[in-house]
Each structure stands twice: as C-alpha cells, then as structure tokens.
Amino acid sequence: MEEKNTAKDSFPKSLDKLTPREIVGELDKYIIGQKKAKRAVAVALRNRIRRLKLESDLREDVAPKNILMIGPTGIGKTEIARRLAKLANSPFIKVEATKYTEVGYVGRDVESMIRDLMAAGVAMVKQEMQEQVNTQAKERAEEALLDLLVPPAKKVKDKSKPAPVIRPMGSFSFNNEDGPGIMGTAIQVGIPIVRDLKGETKIAAGENSAQIEDAGAGEAEEPENEKKRAERMAEKRAREHTREKFRQWLREGKLEDKTVEMTVNQNPQFPPMELMGGGFEELESSLSGIAGFFGGTKKKKVVSVSRAREILIAEEAEKLIDRDRVSDEARRRVEETGIVFIDEIDKIAVRGERGGGGPDVSREGVQRDILPIVEGAVVNTKWGAVDTSHILFIAAGAFNVSKPSDLIPELQGRFPLRVELDSLGKDDFLRILTEPKNALTRQYTGLLGTEEITLEFSADAIERLAALAAEVNTRLENIGARRLHTIMEALLEELSFEAPDIAPASIRITSDYVNEKLSDLAMDQDLGRYIL
C-alpha cells in the first residue's frame, strides 16, 4: 500500500480531482476546437491517475494507451500534448522522428529521447526542491554576501596551546626465527608541564591553556591582557554593528549596483563533438562523471551585488537539496507520468510494398528502433536506469502522402488510440484570435504596449483577418493556425518598426487598415507565396 501511495504522489492533488470533462475545459483555454483529440488525451490522463490508485500487482499490468494524432500541420497537435503535460506536471519532451535512424545510419540513437526526458524530469524536480528551500537559501546567501562586503576578522592562532612533547625512551629489537628481525625506537608523547610563580604544577592542555599562560605570566602582565581583550571586544562590537548596517542597506536595495569580488565554481568544459551511431550520450555521461570527480575549477570574478546574490542563492540552494533524492524522484516521475511526443512520424512510414532499397530501409529501421522503447525497455542514463513501460507516447503526423497503415504492424499495435484532427477554417481562426488566454491579438497588444502604443482591434478587423487566413490557406499551402502568425506580422510590421518614434499613440486596427496593408499581398499569389 505504501508503494501505491508513493506512486500516486507523482500527480498534483488538484489534478486528482479533475474529471476528463474538466481536463478538456482546461485545454479549451488555450486550444480551439479538436474536441476528439482533447477527449482522447483527457481519458488517457485520467486512466493514468486511475492506474496509480490500483494495487501494485495489478498496476504493473495496466499499460498506457498511446495515441496517434492524424492531421495537417498547425492545427494544435503539439500544443495539446504540451498543455496536457503542463496540466499534469509531467516530464515532457518533443522529438522528431526524422532525427532518428537505424544504427549504422546518420542520426541519433532512439534511446536519447528517454535520456532527454529524464533530463527534463531532473530539471523539473530540481526546480521544485529549490523553491522549497528558497527562503533558507536566501538567508544563507545574505550571510555569504555580508562576508564579502564585511570580511570577518582573521583568526589569530592560539599560541597558548603548547605543542605536545615527544621524548625518545630507547630502542628495542625483536628476533624472528622465520624471517628478519625487527628494530625500533620507543617514544614518549607527553603533555608539557607549566609551573606558576608559587611553584605549583599545572597541566597546559585544552580549555585551561589560556588560564595557565596568564598564571605563568605573573601579575605584571594582567593589565596588558585585559587591555587587549577589551580592544578585541570593542573591535568585535564595531564589526557586528557595521555588518548589521550593511544588512539593512542590502535589504533596502541601496547596494545593488556596488561590486564585490567573489569566487565561483566552474565545471570543466569539454569541446563539442559529434559521433555516429548514437554513442555520444554514453561518452557525455562518462565525461560528466569525470568532471564531477575533479569538482571543477574556482575562478574569481568581480560582479555587482545583485548578480552576486543570484549566484549565491543558486549555490546555497544547490547545497541544500539532496542530489540522490532529486534523481530518484525524477526517475519515478518519468516512469510513472512521463510523456513523449513523437512528431513527423509519417515521415518514417514506408509507402507501398516493403523490402525496397534506398531511404525506405532507413525509415523502417527507425520504426524498429522506436518499437522496443514504446513497448517497454530499460534505458541507461547518467541518473540511473529508466523503465519506459508506463511512459505515455503520443505520435503525430500529417499523413498526407503516406498512411498510418504504412507503419510496421508492431508499431501500429502500440498506438491503439487514433484521433483524426480537423482542419481549421474561418470560424476557428476567429476564435483563435480572441478566445484563448494567449490569443495573438492580446500578445501584440501587450508587446506594443511596452512602447506606449495602445493597440485596439475592431471586431470587423478580426473577422477580416480570419477570412484572409482561411483564404490564403486554401490557395497556398495549408499551414493551419501558423498562417495567423505570418498575417499578423505582415499587418503590424510597419507599426512595430515605427513604434519607438511615434509613441505615445493610440492605434485602432479596422478592416480598412487590414485591407490597406494585406489585400495586395493576398491577391498577388506569387508575392503572397513568399510573404504569407
């Protein structure tokens, strides 16, 4: 039961209460349309939560239902997977199938996707743990920064502690019948004896050494010692007062632009290299281990107080977190909740009859290399072995030339859920421009707002932009919602260039403004092919 609860903790508690309908609602805040795809990923995510509540023996037999998304570019396939991973607080990585090839061909080893996923998981867990110790790290960084601004007094060597006395006591020998004899010298290690003026004997050791020194010095030196002690105490109080004054200035932000000299750790940097056959990850792991063994180098730098604080907070947070715990938690989270998005999987499909030569050999080799990873394999990383049996794989492709059936049967069977996404039209573009939290109109309004340009889009202008995007997608290549990015850039290019010169100003974007800037480009098909 304890194992089950530990696995369940991989998800945020708030997500445990989210129903598939609510998951779709969260995705609707950023992605317009594609109800089928949203429902499929919502059910897949909910099933992962349900699986973690099962008993350990049954939980191991429940395999993730991997998803194959089919649809043209720019319709939200990647965004759905990315938002789902963010919602679930899951380690996420996006890879392109064309980067991987069969061993012996140019390309990366397919196992590198799991290493990249593990790296993302480690970074996620490390950031979470650093946030937990952030307050303590700031306090320790403040003390370290004060040590740079007000260096502590140098420790004076305690001369009152006498060194131990070593006296020889004679030699000895030992005859061995089976071998050579042994000769040696006996020594006596003793504690020195100090006699006071009255002839009384005292032992000079430990905490009493200072008292013995005072006793042996006589009454004549007592006033001088008292004077030195008073001076040291006065100096200590002055230093503490100065330190507290600097602490107050630090907290008030009065020293941010001042500079300090500090020592920073630098890890050894190895030159970049490329290897064939996917051996680079193993070499990189080995070099990282060597770098960690030597501990890097130390370098003195002169930086501002604000920058020094950032460096010290990062260093203190690094000291406070447990690296072994980070890697263990990241590995558990990757194995239980990790999501890998494999894009352009249609580019490695083998069209027609198999067994041909040329690039088809490489494409089918990529599929066969990906297959064991999707089925469930153990991949070695520099953070330990990772089991891929319960990682959720979401593959996507346009499949405008090839078909899902062109994939090898074994790989097809590992993606039991297939979702066909819809192409976007004028109504979808209209909603994309206005409804999502990160709508393009809001993005450009915020960007130009930093230049004191107040941008306002009229309803007829937004409708005209949506119609224009749908029209250009029909006549030229259909790139989905990405067409809106090119149109918005072309629309506001001149305004963005002149914004610093005309600010402050208020600009209203109307349908006439859109027609003036874009109609000629949209009508000229040859020119629009390059610009839009």
Side-chain angles (χ1 to χ4, degrees), residues 182-233:
I182 299 175
M183 297 185 65
T185 302
I187 62 173
Q188 179 187 23
V189 179
I191 300 174
I193 305 299
V194 177
R195 298 181 182 275
D196 60 13
L197 296 178
K198 298 178 181 180
E200 295 181 358
T201 301
K202 298 195 176 188
I203 299 176
E207 298 177 354
N208 296 324
S209 58
Q211 300 175 2
I212 296 170
E213 182 180 346
D214 292 342
E219 296 180 358
E221 296 184 4
E222 284 186 4
E224 184 178 353
N225 291 338
E226 290 292 338
K227 182 180 179 181
K228 288 182 178 180
R229 276 197 291 267
E231 289 176 352
R232 287 198 298 268
M233 292 300 296

Side-chain angles (χ1 to χ4, degrees), residues 105-398:
Y105 290 81
V106 178
R108 299 186 64 192
D109 180 11
V110 294
E111 291 185 352
S112 64
M113 71 171 71
I114 304 302
R115 298 189 184 99
D116 294 341
L117 181 65
M118 187 63 188
V122 168
M124 175 186 293
V125 174
K126 189 175 181 180
Q127 182 179 359
E128 291 177 1
M129 291 188 176
Q130 286 178 342
E131 290 175 357
Q132 294 174 0
V133 300
N134 189 44
T135 302
Q136 188 177 357
K138 285 182 178 179
E139 293 174 356
R140 295 175 63 165
E142 184 181 76
E143 297 300 327
L145 190 56
L146 286 171
D147 289 341
L148 295 175
L149 294 168
V150 187
K154 295 183 178 180
K155 293 183 178 180
V156 181
K157 187 176 180 180
D158 188 5
K159 297 181 181 179
S160 62
K161 281 189 178 181
V165 177
I166 303 176
R167 295 187 179 93
M169 296 181 62
S171 59
F172 66 91
S173 62
F174 175 75
N175 295 324
N176 187 3
E177 297 179 356
D178 300 330
I182 299 175
M183 297 185 65
T185 302
I187 62 173
Q188 179 187 23
V189 179
I191 300 174
I193 305 299
V194 177
R195 298 181 182 275
D196 60 13
L197 296 178
K198 298 178 181 180
E200 295 181 358
T201 301
K202 298 195 176 188
I203 299 176
E207 298 177 354
N208 296 324
S209 58
Q211 300 175 2
I212 296 170
E213 182 180 346
D214 292 342
E219 296 180 358
E221 296 184 4
E222 284 186 4
E224 184 178 353
N225 291 338
E226 290 292 338
K227 182 180 179 181
K228 288 182 178 180
R229 276 197 291 267
E231 289 176 352
R232 287 198 298 268
M233 292 300 296
E235 183 182 354
K236 182 179 179 181
R237 286 193 295 268
R239 189 176 296 278
E240 290 177 353
H241 177 74
T242 304
R243 188 180 180 91
E244 292 305 314
K245 194 65 178 177
F246 271 83
R247 188 191 304 275
Q248 181 182 352
W249 288 343
L250 272 179
R251 294 178 177 178
E252 293 175 356
K254 295 181 179 180
L255 304 176
E256 297 299 292
D257 297 332
K258 302 296 182 181
T259 58
V260 292
E261 185 181 47
M262 63 182 303
T263 303
V264 296
N265 294 324
Q266 286 188 330
N267 292 326
Q269 298 294 324
F270 298 100
M273 61 190 73
E274 292 291 338
L275 297 179
M276 310 292 285
F280 176 64
E281 284 78 10
E282 289 81 357
L283 179 60
E284 181 186 26
S285 178
S286 301
L287 292 179
S288 299
I290 296 173
F293 177 78
F294 287 105
T297 58
K298 294 183 180 295
K299 179 182 179 182
K300 287 188 176 182
K301 293 178 65 176
V302 177
V303 296
S304 64
V305 168
S306 60
R307 176 58 183 156
R309 183 187 291 107
E310 295 175 2
I311 295 173
L312 290 171
I313 289 176
E315 289 182 353
E316 295 299 331
E318 185 75 21
K319 295 176 185 176
L320 289 170
I321 62 176
D322 186 353
R323 291 187 178 182
D324 293 335
R325 185 184 165 201
V326 169
S327 59
D328 291 343
E329 172 63 19
R331 184 167 58 251
R332 182 177 65 84
R333 193 174 295 189
V334 164
E335 291 180 346
E336 297 290 343
T337 69
I339 298 176
V340 176
F341 183 79
I342 306 176
D343 200 7
E344 296 184 355
I345 198 168
D346 58 316
K347 303 298 189 299
I348 62 171
V350 181
R351 296 183 295 273
E353 295 294 331
R354 292 186 176 85
D360 286 348
V361 178
S362 177
R363 293 190 188 111
E364 188 166 336
V366 176
Q367 298 181 54
R368 296 195 179 279
D369 284 347
I370 291 177
L371 180 60
I373 305 296
V374 178
E375 286 181 336
V378 176
V379 177
N380 292 320
T381 71
K382 59 183 177 182
W383 298 279
V386 177
D387 187 358
T388 68
S389 300
H390 298 286
I391 294 176
L392 178 64
F393 290 87
I394 302 176

Side-chain angles (χ1 to χ4, degrees), residues 20 23-44 69 80 84 419 421 431:
I23 294 173
V24 171
E26 290 294 322
L27 295 176
D28 283 339
K29 295 178 181 179
Y30 300 95
I31 303 143
I32 298 301
Q34 314 303 349
K35 291 295 182 182
K36 293 180 181 178
K38 290 176 183 176
R39 287 170 65 94
V41 297
V43 171
M69 295 184 180
I80 288 174
L84 182 73
V419 183
L421 284 78
R431 295 179 60 195

